[in-house]
Amino acid sequence: MKLKKVDILKALEKISAPGEGQNLVESGAVTNVQVFGDEVEVDVTIKNPSLQAKKKTEVEILKIIHSEVYEKAKIKVNLKVDAPAKPKVNQIKGNPIPGIQNIIAVASGKGGVGKSTITANLAVTLAKMGFKVGLLDTDIYGPSMPIMFDVANEKPLSINVNGKAKMKPIENYGVKLLSIGFFTQPNQAVIWRGPMAAKALNQMIFDAHWDELDFLLLDLPPGTGDIHLSIMQSLPVTGAVVVSTPQEIALADARKGVAMFQQEAINVPVLGIVENMAYFTPEELPDNKYYIFGQNGAKNLAEDLDVPFLGEMPLVQSIREAGDVGRPAALQTASPIEEAFEELTKNVVQELVRRNTDLPPTEAIKITTMAGCSAVKKK
């Protein structure tokens, strides 16, 4: 039997395009029909990429031509999918923690660059500015925050919150703090595989009573490993700060740290890079700067990766001493160190506000108070 193209098109008008109100012909989904005697070849392009939609469309075309035109027709369906590309947006992942407005991960690709020191001083500076701040020490194998906040001998209490037992974070200098270091002995090594470490982290995150916080800072361990992935999967991280020294060997790892956050599967906005130990100024020669680890390395890396440069912190003996005695250096009133950390913190907040503005309104996390952040322009 010789088939007619017009009969084929008339039959296809009885099939709805998947996910659309029009039929296959009206919607333009049928791009071509060729008839050779009793053979029919139909080219169809649909917008629904699901396997179910593709299979359903193909079966319906076969059925309608067989029932409406010719039951013995030999039919070939060439099906294509033209799904609109999804716009790339910064995604909020994980389970939000009620009351916590912004979660900032502080990371470094390499150990020994002063990441924990930067995190501790960011936390106390934010607290001095009037924000409600929490700090989670996520370094299961080498926790340092209990020492830096002079609370190494403290133990979190269990409190009842809405009928559930919750950990109450230790608080000092206006910062709420949790660390695996509170639950181990000073000379005890934590020898856990990844799943065990991830479970401990989840307990400190979700079984803690953080209450209302403007910022929760996460002091991440060095590298780009299991703990980092567990954090990204568990929490809606607002943004990340990467710390590096100007030294080339540290910059190579910092580049990997930035790349980790920018991976499509993770996609956490990088707020910027901090250059720590940028230069050394002797106390007796305050006008001299010695670039022991190189000059402007992290600044150049930020420009190369097209991420903000948040500032540089000098190599100063008092910063190390302050961390060792448990009183972060940013608490040294009216000192150059306090001013440097205040400038760094304002830059972090400014980039955070900019990042929140760039997100869709339904996903953006807003800062509710800007006390002390005169450098931040509100719109």
Side-chain angles (χ1 to χ4, degrees):
M1 178 179 177
K2 187 175 181 180
L3 305 179
K4 295 181 181 179
K5 182 176 179 179
V6 65
D7 294 333
I8 302 295
L9 289 171
K10 189 175 180 180
L12 294 176
E13 286 178 351
K14 297 182 180 181
I15 302 175
S16 297
E20 302 177 35
Q22 299 173 306
N23 63 54
L24 286 179
V25 178
E26 284 179 333
S27 66
V30 177
T31 57
N32 189 31
V33 174
Q34 296 184 59
V35 178
F36 309 95
D38 63 350
E39 296 180 10
V40 181
E41 190 165 340
V42 182
D43 295 337
V44 184
T45 302
I46 62 175
K47 294 181 179 178
N48 190 329
S50 71
L51 184 62
Q52 181 181 3
K54 291 188 284 186
K55 192 66 180 174
K56 183 171 182 266
T57 302
E58 185 176 358
V59 169
E60 287 184 349
I61 290 173
L62 296 175
K63 281 184 177 179
I64 202 72
I65 294 176
H66 281 149
S67 63
E68 299 287 330
V69 184
Y70 181 47
E71 63 179 356
K72 294 183 179 180
K74 299 172 184 175
I75 307 165
K76 181 180 180 184
V77 180
N78 301 315
L79 192 62
K80 292 183 180 180
V81 175
D82 183 22
K86 292 182 180 180
K88 275 196 172 182
V89 295
N90 291 323
Q91 300 170 351
I92 300 295
K93 298 179 179 63
N95 303 313
I97 305 176
I100 297 180
Q101 298 302 309
N102 297 278
I103 301 175
I104 300 178
V106 184
S108 66
K110 185 175 180 60
V113 298
K115 169 188 49 60
S116 295
T117 299
I118 295 293
T119 308
N121 283 283
L122 275 176
V124 297
T125 304
L126 285 167
K128 286 197 304 178
M129 289 176 171
F131 292 111
K132 297 174 182 176
V133 184
L135 199 167
L136 177 62
D137 186 356
T138 72
D139 193 344
I140 296 294
Y141 306 107
S144 54
M145 286 302 168
I147 294 174
M148 289 188 170
F149 278 80
D150 195 24
V151 288
N153 296 321
E154 301 286 337
K155 299 293 179 187
L157 299 175
S158 176
I159 59 174
N160 189 295
V161 180
N162 298 323
K164 294 183 179 179
K166 295 279 188 178
M167 283 184 286
K168 183 181 180 182
I170 302 297
E171 187 167 347
N172 201 12
Y173 310 127
V175 177
K176 294 179 180 179
L177 178 66
L178 273 182
S179 169
I180 197 68
F182 293 132
F183 306 99
T184 60
Q185 298 300 319
N187 59 348
Q188 179 184 354
V190 177
I191 308 173
W192 290 344
R193 292 190 183 273
M196 187 72 175
K199 184 178 179 181
L201 268 180
N202 279 335
Q203 284 187 304
M204 288 195 294
I205 294 169
F206 297 109
D207 292 345
H209 181 56
W210 293 102
D211 205 7
E212 298 290 326
L213 292 180
D214 295 306
F215 296 95
L216 175 63
L217 301 186
L218 308 177
D219 181 32
L220 297 182
T224 54
D226 197 40
I227 297 297
H228 304 77
L229 292 177
S230 296
I231 289 288
M232 301 311 153
Q233 290 172 345
S234 301
L235 287 174
V237 177
T238 316
V241 171
V242 177
V243 180
S244 179
T245 63
Q247 188 177 4
E248 188 60 40
I249 197 167
L251 295 171
D253 290 335
R255 185 184 294 270
K256 295 173 186 175
V258 172
M260 174 187 68
F261 291 113
Q262 292 178 339
Q263 287 265 350
E264 189 172 352
I266 296 176
N267 201 19
V268 170
V270 177
L271 302 178
I273 296 177
V274 179
E275 184 169 274
N276 195 29
M277 308 183 206
Y279 57 86
F280 170 65
T281 298
E283 187 176 351
E284 64 275 11
L285 298 170
D287 296 327
N288 289 23
K289 290 183 179 180
Y290 299 95
Y291 298 95
I292 297 173
F293 297 111
Q295 188 171 359
N296 294 330
K299 185 176 183 180
N300 294 335
L301 177 64
E303 292 177 1
D304 184 38
L305 298 177
D306 195 26
V307 298
F309 180 64
L310 299 172
E312 57 183 23
M313 296 303 302
L315 176 62
V316 178
Q317 183 175 334
S318 63
I319 295 179
R320 191 273 305 164
E321 292 173 342
D324 286 349
V325 299
R327 183 176 173 81
L331 296 172
Q332 298 172 9
T333 307
S335 68
I337 296 302
E338 181 191 43
E339 292 177 9
F341 277 116
E342 283 181 354
E343 187 63 29
L344 171 63
T345 305
K346 288 175 183 178
N347 289 340
V348 171
V349 174
Q350 183 174 356
E351 292 302 326
L352 184 71
V353 172
R354 183 177 293 124
R355 169 257 184 240
N356 284 344
T357 303
D358 289 343
L359 282 175
T362 53
E363 292 185 314
I365 301 173
K366 302 297 182 184
I367 298 175
T368 56
T369 172
M370 301 306 296
C373 288
S374 57
V376 180
K377 296 179 181 178
K378 292 192 289 182
K379 295 183 178 180

